[in-house]
Amino acid sequence: MWLQRDVTLRAHPRGFHLVTDEVVSGVPELDDVEVGLAHLFIRHTSAALTLNENASPDVRRDFAAWFDRAVPDGAPFFEHTLEGPDDMPAHIKASLLGSSLSLPVRDGRLALGTWQGVYLCELRDRGGERTVTVTVQGQSRSDP
Amino acid sequence: MWLQRDVTLRAHPRGFHLVTDEVVSGVPELDDVEVGLAHLFIRHTSAALTLNENASPDVRRDFAAWFDRAVPDGAPFFEHTLEGPDDMPAHIKASLLGSSLSLPVRDGRLALGTWQGVYLCELRDRGGERTVTVTVQGQSRSDP
Amino acid sequence: MWLQRDVTLRAHPRGFHLVTDEVVSGVPELDDVEVGLAHLFIRHTSAALTLNENASPDVRRDFAAWFDRAVPDGAPFFEHTLEGPDDMPAHIKASLLGSSLSLPVRDGRLALGTWQGVYLCELRDRGGERTVTVTVQGQSRSDP
């Protein structure tokens, strides 16, 4: 089976946000996958997806603290400044973090580790809604 | 359907280069995929693939500026210096950026966002030609 | 064909380790795949998988040297310190490096470049055993 659908994530403030449930609720057909893969793909170049610790909000704040220091807004060597001081850092962070996740699916659920969750990395000050294309493939539980 | 083919990218100078068309033209069978995924895999450890902004050349120059500062050539703590001052930084940048991309395919085309393009990240001073293994899987438009 | 299995990697010390053989030996059914993809997924948020140079041990030491400088243990701006000074840096490094690899399979083997190998990135001081979920899909060599 193949399924491909765009899931819209509501606007989030700049930072790192746990969105596992928001994404999964957009593809209820996951229930029917016995074994497979789910591919999450964000259709933007100033936001990213990553997998990390799903429990402590301070982990997500520390992500922002580190990335904002590693790729500072308005660094003097950036030439691409037309779209604001947060734009070029957003592009670089997006490539460091990645635009997609491939996740194993088993018995109708994402087969994540106990502490793993999907982060939306909103890298712009005002990113707005973000679209994630979810592609699910695998063996259906209802196959003979 | 499954398709797997090596696509040779011509030699590019050190830097970040938009190669979406160069890759896609190597797999014309994409036309026939109704829904699926395309996996691009670079068979090298000193070059990488990433997805980012496809419009402004200054974005790609700023990528080089940031990465060259973050992982400087000839950093004094590197032990692996036998292959030149640009070699070890190339390896580290390759792992930061990643060696593969999985991209959704829909109606015979890569289903990228409006501003997304595939970057070849040439991380060596003289990297030469690079080979990308493209694997396409999906449902064919000609299936009954 | 679809195959999904958890492969346990023995405990490794903090650092970067070549584990291609350890992973591949856990999925002998790869032999039967004519063309396909292997997805390796680490079920942890303080360890990662990446692909890099498979020959020189000093490359792997330089990886540790760079990452430990880029994301230092006990950086003063981290709030999430309850699990030790190596915990928060491990989370950030895990997202920089990535939790999964998708690798082309051809004629029963991983179709890697000559110099490519799978690194286990053990980012904690004492990470213990790590579980990698391997998902293999493709066309079987025994299909008619």
Side-chain angles (χ1 to χ4, degrees):
Chain A
M1 62 162 283
W2 281 89
L3 165 76
Q4 193 171 77
R5 182 176 306 150
D6 288 346
V7 175
T8 302
L9 302 183
R10 63 186 170 80
H12 285 78
R14 178 169 168 165
F16 293 75
H17 307 278
L18 200 55
V19 296
T20 318
D21 293 346
E22 200 174 343
V23 172
V24 167
S25 67
V27 281
E29 298 89 342
L30 262 187
D31 277 358
D32 189 43
V33 180
E34 186 171 332
V35 55
L37 289 170
H39 180 255
L40 317 184
F41 177 77
I42 195 160
R43 295 166 73 91
H44 307 273
T45 61
S46 59
L49 297 173
T50 194
L51 216 62
N52 222 289
E53 206 257 33
N54 60 14
S56 311
D58 52 4
V59 168
R60 301 194 287 280
R61 285 196 298 270
D62 285 352
F63 262 78
W66 186 85
F67 277 93
D68 286 347
R69 280 167 175 78
V71 195
D73 281 15
F77 53 84
F78 286 141
E79 294 178 32
H80 181 77
T81 56
L82 207 72
E83 298 178 63
D86 61 321
D87 181 63
M88 193 58 225
H91 290 310
I92 289 173
K93 293 169 186 168
S95 279
L96 290 171
L97 289 156
S99 55
S100 74
L101 292 173
S102 286
L103 307 174
V105 180
R106 193 182 299 174
D107 297 331
R109 306 180 60 168
L110 295 181
L112 304 181
T114 311
W115 302 103
Q116 289 180 310
V118 176
Y119 284 15
L120 167 67
C121 316
E122 177 50 73
L123 306 169
R124 295 299 308 263
D125 288 339
R126 283 177 198 78
E129 288 184 350
R130 299 296 196 173
T131 305
V132 174
T133 298
V134 182
T135 306
V136 178
Q137 52 171 324
Q139 289 179 322
S140 166
R141 298 214 259 190
S142 51
D143 276 354
Chain B
M1 62 163 282
W2 280 89
L3 165 77
Q4 193 171 77
R5 182 176 305 150
D6 288 346
V7 175
T8 302
L9 302 183
R10 64 186 169 80
H12 285 77
R14 178 170 167 165
F16 293 75
H17 307 278
L18 200 56
V19 295
T20 319
D21 294 345
E22 201 174 342
V23 172
V24 167
S25 67
V27 281
E29 297 88 343
L30 263 187
D31 277 358
D32 189 44
V33 180
E34 186 170 332
V35 56
L37 289 171
H39 180 255
L40 317 183
F41 177 77
I42 195 160
R43 296 166 72 90
H44 306 274
T45 61
S46 58
L49 297 173
T50 194
L51 216 62
N52 222 288
E53 207 257 30
N54 61 14
S56 310
D58 54 3
V59 169
R60 302 193 288 279
R61 284 195 299 270
D62 285 352
F63 262 78
W66 186 84
F67 276 93
D68 287 347
R69 279 166 176 77
V71 195
D73 280 16
F77 53 85
F78 286 141
E79 293 179 32
H80 181 76
T81 55
L82 207 71
E83 300 177 63
D86 61 321
D87 182 63
M88 195 57 226
H91 290 310
I92 288 173
K93 293 169 186 167
S95 279
L96 289 171
L97 289 157
S99 54
S100 74
L101 293 172
S102 285
L103 307 174
V105 181
R106 192 182 300 173
D107 297 331
R109 307 180 60 169
L110 296 181
L112 304 181
T114 310
W115 302 104
Q116 289 180 310
V118 176
Y119 284 15
L120 166 67
C121 316
E122 177 51 72
L123 305 169
R124 294 300 309 262
D125 288 340
R126 284 177 197 79
E129 288 184 350
R130 299 295 196 173
T131 305
V132 173
T133 299
V134 181
T135 305
V136 178
Q137 52 171 325
Q139 288 179 323
S140 166
R141 297 213 260 191
S142 51
D143 274 355
Chain C
M1 62 162 282
W2 280 89
L3 166 76
Q4 193 171 77
R5 183 175 306 151
D6 288 346
V7 175
T8 303
L9 302 182
R10 64 186 168 80
H12 286 76
R14 178 169 167 166
F16 293 75
H17 306 278
L18 199 56
V19 295
T20 319
D21 294 345
E22 201 174 342
V23 172
V24 168
S25 67
V27 280
E29 297 88 343
L30 262 187
D31 277 357
D32 190 43
V33 180
E34 185 171 332
V35 55
L37 289 170
H39 180 255
L40 318 184
F41 177 77
I42 196 161
R43 296 166 72 92
H44 307 273
T45 62
S46 59
L49 297 173
T50 194
L51 215 63
N52 223 289
E53 207 258 30
N54 61 14
S56 310
D58 54 3
V59 169
R60 301 194 288 280
R61 284 196 298 271
D62 285 352
F63 262 78
W66 186 84
F67 276 93
D68 287 348
R69 279 167 176 77
V71 195
D73 281 14
F77 53 82
F78 286 141
E79 294 178 32
H80 181 77
T81 55
L82 206 71
E83 299 178 63
D86 61 321
D87 182 63
M88 195 56 226
H91 289 310
I92 289 173
K93 292 169 187 168
S95 279
L96 290 170
L97 289 156
S99 55
S100 74
L101 293 172
S102 286
L103 307 174
V105 180
R106 192 181 300 172
D107 297 330
R109 307 179 60 168
L110 296 181
L112 304 181
T114 310
W115 301 104
Q116 288 180 310
V118 176
Y119 285 15
L120 167 67
C121 316
E122 176 50 73
L123 306 168
R124 295 300 308 264
D125 289 339
R126 284 177 197 79
E129 289 184 349
R130 299 295 197 173
T131 304
V132 174
T133 300
V134 181
T135 305
V136 179
Q137 52 170 325
Q139 288 179 323
S140 166
R141 297 213 260 190
S142 51
D143 275 354

